[in-house]
Amino acid sequence: MPETSVQNRVEPATLPTLHAFFAPGGILANSPLPYEYRPGQLEMARSVERALEESRHLIVEAGTGTGKTLAYLLPALRTGRRVIISTGTKALQDQLYFRDIPFLESLLGPLRVCYMKGRANYLCRHKLVTLNAHPILSGLEEIDQFHQIAEWEKTTETGDRAEIAGLPESSPLWSRLDARSEACLGSTCPDYQRCFVTEMRRKAQESDIVIVNHHLFFADLAVRQQAGGAPDAGVLPEAGAVIFDEAHELEEVASSYFGISVSNLRFEDLSRDIEAMLKKGDGYANAINTAILVSSQQLRDRARMFFSQLPAGDGRQPFDNREEFLETRGDIYLSVKNTLIRLESELDQLRGVDEAPGLRKRVTNLRVELEFLLESTSGNMVYWLERRVSGGLHKQSRTTFLQATPIDVSGLLDDQLFQRFPSVVLTSATLTVQGSFEHIRRRLGLADARELVVPSHFRYQDQALLYLPPEMPDPRAPNYPEAAARCIQRVLEITRGRAFCLFTSYSQMRDLYERLASVLDYPILLHGTAPRNTLLQHFRDTPNAVLFGTASFWQGVDVQGEALSCVIIDRLPFAVPNDPVVAARMKFIEEAGGNPFFDYQVPSAVISLKQGFGRLIRSLEDRGVLVLLDPRIRQKRYGQTFLESLPPYRVTGTITDVQAFFRAS
């Protein structure tokens, strides 16, 4: 996207009114886009504009097909103040910047818009120069990647790793070359003026619209909180308003960034980087270098011992016996802590080494976070462990994360977000439960906000059929998998594949995949066998394909046309009650006099189900069948809450209606 100069950009006062842009016969009607007047789109645009003008908060549920992106972009441009737009995913961020903004520019003229990602997405030129002078590379693959990055650096204008085709998503080499702030030299860096992050900040300061994603926004907010609100602490510029698209994700993202996480991998990376710094100098010849080397090696060994002594088990589990751990394993923890303290002091004594201040900062951050995780007594935190296995069949690595997550982020968000920005707009296709915003407002601490529900532009009664098979047993029953397999097979034979089968767990997905792989005559794609985007593209390109997926395919996926004509969901997507964060939140609600199931689990599951079903109808031409294999939606009292929260689908319990629906296609 070409950069717009200050001189030729469109001024807010010259932009068209909302009516002139959205109304029949207006600018949008005369654009190259297929046009159909949507009153809800204009209503949303007017509500956003009023909220921005009057410095009010606004929450909008805008059904799929509303055209909500343009409904908030034009009002944001008309304010004359800088507005940050935060999206749920990088994919939506790309769509805004590379598709929607150029479209608006084709109608309105040049706009000042900036696109920002987290620092880990950008190359650090100083690190590249340093590694080139002292190449410490492992294997031919890493050498090839280094040469590829070095050649790309000569021509790139952004330094965004997304430009490098073929670079693995989890490249260890890139993690040594990215611009994360832990190792940043700041204005003292010899490459500061050529720094891609410096350039990104400059563009943001000159822009009217800054497009980010939720992870970058809350990472920046957390950094500012830790720095006591210092204006230069984060990377994002000051703004008069924030618009959150896909706002149903805010609680989980905010919880992640207002929490703390320490892993064994961070210790390994720190020791490796300290030793690499020493090798680039005069080796280990002098006393302070030798001392640092010894401390670094001790830190690696002691950290490995510390993580090996944490409670056993895979996946996510509570770490609520911290006091007992300190009583029985406190000496191991103290040995790690004291080594970190010693390293801080030794790195302070190192002179004339560019990397030393950044490494010292990393040591300090690791010590402070580890102390919090083992010694803090915060009542609003749940402490837990997670173990993840990554890598292929022959080379796997195991990472252990020790974490603290806020139980309730409503107070934090009120203080750090809603009180800080004059106007915050939250929008998504899935924010209400039975037409009410009460759940999302309570979870986010949004006490004072205007509300708007904009129905979808789609004709759900004609375009979609919801099939609730009457013969299904309870999902917890032993015969459920066999019944589910029979039902899925029968439906897919009618739809001729062309379906997403979405599951609430990996184990359930794999079980059903193994039962059906040999009996279905359609290509089956399985979540986890290839990157998500690769699977999606394969699904689009393969006639009659069936994709078996879990959580990441429930939202942010857009497949239009006949390729996706059916979405099957195995069960109501209740959060796992023994997950440490979910359990802590349920306990918190119960102790406050609430009902955890009806106040938290049901509303959260409703929003998740709406997201999953929302994969099916993505345009006015789409038609298809939704299938829920969970009989509780009809049998339990809370099932009515789900049915009343879904769009007005036509509902049936008869398989012949499904057959008739596709015959009419």
Side-chain angles (χ1 to χ4, degrees):
M1 180 174 169
E3 185 178 347
T4 302
S5 68
V6 177
Q7 290 78 16
N8 67 358
R9 66 116 178 185
V10 175
E11 294 295 333
T14 66
L15 289 168
T17 65
L18 301 182
H19 185 271
F21 187 83
F22 290 107
I27 294 171
L28 191 56
N30 293 305
S31 76
L33 279 185
Y35 173 76
E36 186 172 349
Y37 172 57
R38 287 170 276 192
Q41 184 180 40
L42 179 55
E43 182 185 12
M44 176 178 172
R46 285 172 170 161
S47 295
V48 172
E49 185 163 80
R50 281 195 300 272
L52 297 178
E53 286 176 348
E54 298 170 12
S55 296
R56 295 289 303 272
H57 300 324
L58 172 68
I59 183 167
V60 183
E61 181 175 84
T64 310
T66 301
K68 68 177 183 297
T69 304
L70 294 180
Y72 62 66
L73 274 175
L74 185 58
L77 288 163
R78 285 172 47 84
T79 63
R81 295 176 293 163
R82 182 182 298 118
V83 176
I84 294 173
I85 295 176
S86 181
T87 69
T89 62
K90 288 180 184 177
L92 182 53
Q93 196 181 0
D94 287 345
Q95 176 186 309
L96 274 169
Y97 188 71
F98 294 108
R99 191 186 78 181
D100 298 325
I101 292 297
F103 171 72
L104 273 178
E105 288 190 314
S106 72
L107 302 179
L108 307 176
L111 305 170
R112 292 199 306 178
V113 180
C114 175
Y115 175 99
M116 299 181 78
K117 294 181 181 178
R119 299 178 66 119
N121 292 278
Y122 298 95
L123 175 70
C124 172
R125 277 181 153 141
H126 181 64
K127 288 182 181 178
L128 184 67
V129 170
T130 304
L131 188 59
N132 189 46
H134 305 277
I136 305 173
L137 300 169
S138 174
L140 292 176
E141 184 179 3
E142 208 164 85
I143 292 171
D144 289 342
Q145 288 178 16
F146 176 80
H147 289 310
Q148 185 182 8
I149 292 169
E151 286 301 309
W152 162 74
E153 183 271 337
K154 297 173 183 176
T155 58
T156 180
E157 295 182 3
T158 67
D160 184 348
R161 66 162 290 166
E163 297 176 356
I164 311 176
L167 186 68
E169 189 71 24
S170 56
S171 165
L173 177 62
W174 180 263
S175 67
R176 295 165 59 191
L177 293 172
D178 67 35
R180 276 176 289 189
S181 59
E182 284 183 332
C184 182
L185 303 177
S187 58
T188 64
C189 177
D191 291 291
Y192 180 73
Q193 294 303 323
R194 300 173 61 244
C195 173
F196 292 116
V197 174
T198 302
E199 178 64 12
M200 178 180 67
R201 279 174 157 167
R202 182 190 67 77
K203 288 181 180 178
Q205 291 291 348
E206 296 177 353
S207 297
D208 300 315
I209 299 287
V210 180
I211 300 174
V212 304
N213 57 67
H214 297 346
H215 290 273
L216 173 56
F217 183 88
F218 283 102
D220 191 80
L221 209 61
V223 167
R224 292 174 186 272
Q225 181 200 30
Q226 292 162 10
D232 58 347
V235 297
L236 300 186
E238 293 299 314
V242 186
I243 298 173
F244 290 102
D245 202 341
E246 302 297 312
H248 61 277
E249 298 181 17
L250 289 193
E251 181 180 14
E252 291 310 309
V253 178
S255 297
S256 172
Y257 286 98
F258 286 131
I260 288 175
S261 177
V262 168
S263 70
N264 59 318
L265 194 59
R266 280 181 66 184
F267 282 93
E268 297 283 347
D269 287 348
L270 177 61
S271 293
R272 180 203 64 204
D273 292 346
I274 289 173
E275 290 157 25
M277 171 197 68
L278 295 174
K279 288 178 183 177
K280 287 185 297 188
D282 54 358
Y284 310 133
N286 60 50
I288 186 60
N289 281 13
T290 302
I292 293 172
L293 176 64
V294 170
S295 295
S296 176
Q297 293 171 339
Q298 287 179 344
L299 180 65
R300 179 189 288 110
D301 294 339
R302 291 169 181 178
R304 287 175 179 174
M305 177 64 71
F306 169 78
F307 279 95
S308 73
Q309 296 299 309
L310 290 172
D314 292 324
R316 294 160 63 110
Q317 58 182 299
F319 185 38
D320 47 18
N321 60 335
R322 291 182 306 148
E323 290 184 10
E324 179 185 338
F325 180 84
L326 287 176
E327 288 177 6
T328 59
R329 300 287 190 273
D331 55 335
I332 300 173
Y333 161 61
L334 287 175
S335 71
V336 175
K337 176 178 172 179
N338 291 334
T339 307
L340 288 166
I341 293 170
R342 187 169 68 251
L343 260 175
E344 289 179 81
S345 174
E346 290 167 347
L347 287 167
D348 267 343
Q349 300 173 51
L350 203 58
R351 298 289 180 264
V353 180
D354 290 343
E355 293 86 354
L359 287 167
R360 200 261 188 212
K361 181 180 177 183
R362 287 170 64 182
V363 173
T364 301
N365 289 345
L366 201 48
R367 175 183 58 78
V368 170
E369 292 175 21
L370 190 64
E371 286 176 348
F372 183 91
L373 287 163
L374 270 296
E375 301 179 32
S376 68
T377 56
S378 171
N380 189 36
M381 286 285 182
V382 52
Y383 302 89
W384 54 289
L385 295 166
E386 182 176 15
R387 288 186 172 86
R388 302 178 198 163
V389 177
S390 58
L393 182 63
H394 302 293
K395 187 179 180 181
Q396 292 189 336
S397 61
R398 186 183 183 88
T399 306
T400 301
F401 297 85
L402 182 56
Q403 315 208 56
T405 300
I407 297 170
D408 180 8
V409 295
S410 60
L412 287 165
L413 288 175
D414 179 50
D415 180 55
Q416 299 293 323
L417 177 62
F418 299 120
Q419 296 294 333
R420 178 184 162 203
F421 290 94
S423 182
V424 177
V425 177
L426 309 180
T427 186
S428 171
T430 56
L431 290 174
T432 64
V433 177
Q434 291 180 296
S436 169
F437 290 105
E438 180 186 356
H439 171 70
I440 200 80
R441 290 179 66 141
R442 185 173 63 247
R443 299 306 306 169
L444 300 182
L446 185 56
D448 182 24
R450 293 171 177 167
E451 298 178 352
L452 176 66
V453 175
V454 181
S456 173
H457 191 52
F458 298 148
R459 304 180 306 277
Y460 285 113
Q461 282 282 338
D462 300 324
Q463 291 182 256
L465 177 68
L466 173 58
Y467 173 50
L468 304 175
E471 72 279 4
M472 290 300 301
D474 187 289
R476 296 160 291 190
N479 61 333
Y480 173 81
E482 183 182 350
R486 283 198 306 270
C487 186
I488 292 172
Q489 181 180 359
R490 192 175 185 190
V491 170
L492 292 181
E493 287 169 351
I494 295 170
T495 66
R496 292 178 288 115
R498 303 183 296 164
F500 277 4
C501 296
L502 302 179
F503 299 89
T504 52
S505 73
Y506 277 97
S507 59
Q508 183 81 346
M509 177 189 73
R510 290 190 175 277
D511 183 10
L512 269 298
Y513 171 79
E514 289 169 3
R515 291 171 184 270
L516 290 165
S518 61
V519 297
L520 290 176
D521 293 329
Y522 309 110
I524 303 180
L525 308 175
L526 181 65
H527 186 183
T529 58
R532 178 174 177 265
N533 289 338
T534 302
L535 286 173
L536 279 173
Q537 193 55 51
H538 194 183
F539 180 86
R540 293 186 181 101
D541 296 340
T542 306
N544 306 100
V546 178
L547 188 147
F548 281 55
T550 58
S552 65
F553 287 95
W554 284 62
Q555 56 186 344
V557 174
D558 191 359
V559 179
Q560 297 187 17
E562 289 189 358
L564 182 59
S565 298
C566 179
V567 170
I568 301 172
I569 290 178
D570 67 332
R571 63 179 72 192
L572 294 173
F574 290 114
V576 180
N578 60 357
D579 176 271
V581 177
V582 173
R585 288 177 174 165
M586 292 173 66
K587 182 180 178 182
F588 177 82
I589 292 168
E590 187 173 26
E591 289 176 346
N595 184 313
F597 184 70
F598 286 101
D599 295 346
Y600 177 62
Q601 283 193 290
V602 168
S604 297
V606 165
I607 290 173
S608 294
L609 184 65
K610 290 169 71 175
Q611 279 289 321
F613 277 164
R615 298 314 95 213
L616 183 64
I617 305 299
R618 308 298 297 177
S619 74
L620 286 166
E621 288 72 40
D622 286 346
R623 292 182 83 252
V625 167
L626 303 159
V627 182
L628 179 64
L629 303 177
D630 191 334
R632 293 175 294 179
I633 198 168
R634 283 280 183 85
Q635 296 170 354
K636 301 294 184 181
R637 180 166 61 93
Y638 58 76
Q640 197 61 30
T641 302
F642 286 88
L643 291 171
E644 291 175 359
S645 300
L646 294 171
Y649 306 127
R650 188 155 51 95
V651 182
T652 184
T654 307
I655 193 68
T656 54
D657 287 343
V658 177
Q659 295 169 326
F661 182 89
F662 280 99
R663 281 199 299 267
S665 300

